[in-house]
Amino acid sequence: MSLQPDADEVDRIILKALANGPRTPYSDIAEQLAAEGHEMSSEGVRHRVSKLLDRTSIFFLLEPDEHEWEIVRLAIRVTDDPDAKATALEEISEMPFWLVTRGVGTYDVYAVASAATNSRVDELVTAVTELEIVESVDHSTETSRHTNVDDYLSAGQRD
């Protein structure tokens, strides 16, 4: 989920409530808002949620240790060939990764996938490594996660 710079305190409270419980009734969110000094009806919350969904990309991830799969993260460096980053992004996007992004810094492309077994993790890493434009691949398998929604939603609000 990526907030626009114009997100306000009400937006953050609503998004935090939904992150903690995606099925939270709007009336409960309205009560949370009132407890924090923001009067809003259930219908007002519904309207705000609708507007937020138009401006955000929501991606709630299930905890990997609660399921029968692994989450593998790849950090990929590509060759210095012209258009190597764009080509890698395109080719890896056609593989079974659910998130593929270009980066700036140490790595050129990042990819994330879910895999049922460690051997499937190895297959995914090997498939990316074998691309001609790929120079190297570092990867890790996520086994647990701690997510602090307060820190995420307050990003950009700190000095």
Side-chain angles (χ1 to χ4, degrees):
M1 172 171 20
S2 175
L3 288 178
Q4 299 292 327
D6 60 345
D8 63 11
E9 182 65 19
V10 171
D11 291 337
R12 285 186 283 285
I13 292 168
I14 291 171
L15 288 170
K16 180 179 177 185
L18 292 174
N20 290 328
R23 295 181 182 208
T24 303
Y26 295 144
S27 58
D28 291 357
I29 296 172
E31 289 175 15
Q32 289 176 25
L33 286 165
E36 296 196 36
H38 306 281
E39 292 297 325
M40 185 174 289
S41 67
S42 297
E43 183 60 24
V45 171
R46 185 199 62 75
H47 179 73
R48 270 288 180 111
V49 168
S50 179
K51 293 292 184 189
L52 284 168
L53 292 177
D54 288 343
R55 313 186 353 227
T56 59
S57 167
I58 296 180
F59 212 99
F60 291 108
L61 299 177
L62 301 172
E63 291 291 335
D65 56 349
E66 295 177 5
H67 303 282
E68 299 294 323
W69 65 72
E70 309 293 343
I71 295 177
V72 60
R73 299 177 185 279
L74 280 67
I76 304 150
R77 289 186 188 99
V78 299
T79 63
D80 289 333
D81 296 342
D83 299 320
K85 289 181 185 182
T87 302
L89 186 71
E90 184 178 318
E91 290 183 19
I92 296 168
S93 293
E94 294 174 10
M95 296 177 173
F97 291 95
W98 47 262
L99 176 67
V100 181
T101 64
R102 277 182 66 170
V104 175
T106 305
Y107 298 101
D108 301 306
V109 177
Y110 298 90
V112 183
S114 300
T117 64
N118 285 329
S119 61
R120 181 64 178 140
V121 168
D122 292 341
E123 290 171 13
L124 291 167
V125 173
T126 299
V128 172
T129 303
E130 290 177 346
L131 295 174
E132 286 185 34
I133 52 173
V134 170
E135 189 174 281
S136 66
V137 176
D138 291 328
H139 74 283
S140 62
T141 302
E142 181 179 325
T143 58
S144 64
R145 174 187 321 118
H146 174 75
T147 304
N148 187 334
V149 175
D150 288 328
D151 285 346
Y152 177 76
L153 294 176
S154 65
Q157 299 300 313
R158 296 186 180 151
D159 297 323

